[in-house]
Amino acid sequence: MDNNYCIYICGVGGQGIIKTSTIIGEAAMNQGLDVVMSEIHGMSQRGGSVSTELKIGGYNSSIIPNQAADMLLSFEPIETIRGLDKVNSETKIVYNTHPIIPSSTDKDYPSVDGITKTLKENFKHVLPIDGTRLAVEAGSVLSLNMVLLGAVTADDKFPLTKESVIDAMKNNLKPKFHEMNLKAIESGYQSIKG
């Protein structure tokens, strides 16, 4: 398997994007893979757009060129659209379908069904997931990032095993949240593996 793999992660501040990137990075290192991660872009403390870029394999730079991501992992529908410059026809697009509507705007939020339809018309590998609902069912909306992590591990071409992701999660999150996060990872995994 070619272990060179680029993941663009995006969402809104407070959704756990930074922690998700850390867990992916640690899981990669635990599997003996090289990993580089970009600095965090955006206003993570203010509910603004946030993105990170991870490259697993023999890379020198952490920045993913346009149209070079193997996976776009998005925590929010509009952020998925913002990340499309990183994808190509083979990119897996995994995204949470639950919108976060900014309080600072009076504009209507686009239809999520419309976003999904447009994505599916233009890209081959579109995997929408109601991650927010699955996180709540697992115990807390705060486990959304673990639902999405579980979902990406279900992809056959994702270079990290679900087990290595779980080990990295346990190393980075408090033990009292492990059971909930294990449920979240498994529900995300099953939603894609089906």
Side-chain angles (χ1 to χ4, degrees), residues 125-188:
H125 308 290
V126 177
L127 302 166
I129 174 174
D130 189 348
T132 300
R133 178 183 58 79
L134 293 175
V136 169
E137 289 173 1
S140 170
V141 71
L142 298 177
S143 67
L144 168 63
N145 57 346
M146 295 302 110
V147 170
L148 294 175
L149 260 178
V152 299
T153 65
D155 177 42
D156 294 336
K157 293 190 177 174
F158 191 67
L160 307 179
T161 65
K162 183 169 67 166
E163 293 70 30
S164 69
V165 167
I166 288 170
D167 288 345
M169 176 276 287
K170 288 180 176 176
N171 196 41
N172 281 278
L173 300 175
K174 294 179 182 171
K176 68 179 180 178
F177 300 121
H178 287 180
E179 184 180 346
M180 174 185 72
N181 285 316
L182 285 168
K183 280 185 198 169
I185 289 170
E186 189 60 30
S187 69

Side-chain angles (χ1 to χ4, degrees), residues 92-145:
K92 298 286 173 68
I93 302 173
V94 177
Y95 68 99
N96 181 26
T97 58
H98 185 81
I100 295 181
I101 300 167
S103 58
S104 60
T105 185
D106 56 358
K107 294 186 168 124
D108 289 336
Y109 195 96
S111 156
V112 174
D113 289 341
I115 291 171
T116 299
K117 181 175 181 285
T118 301
L119 288 171
K120 287 185 173 183
E121 287 170 353
N122 289 283
F123 300 97
K124 287 194 272 192
H125 308 290
V126 177
L127 302 166
I129 174 174
D130 189 348
T132 300
R133 178 183 58 79
L134 293 175
V136 169
E137 289 173 1
S140 170
V141 71
L142 298 177
S143 67
L144 168 63
N145 57 346

Side-chain angles (χ1 to χ4, degrees), residues 14 17 21 33 67 74 86 90-91 119 126 138-139 176-177 179:
I17 292 150
S21 301
L33 302 171
Q67 300 179 343
S74 176
K86 296 292 184 180
E90 296 303 316
T91 303
L119 288 171
V126 177
K176 68 179 180 178
F177 300 121
E179 184 180 346

Side-chain angles (χ1 to χ4, degrees), residues 7 13 29 33 35 37 41 43 52 54 64 67 97 112 131 142-143 146 153 191:
I7 312 161
M29 289 188 292
L33 302 171
V35 62
M37 183 172 116
H41 303 286
M43 299 187 302
T52 63
L54 285 105
I64 300 171
Q67 300 179 343
T97 58
V112 174
L142 298 177
S143 67
M146 295 302 110
T153 65
S191 74

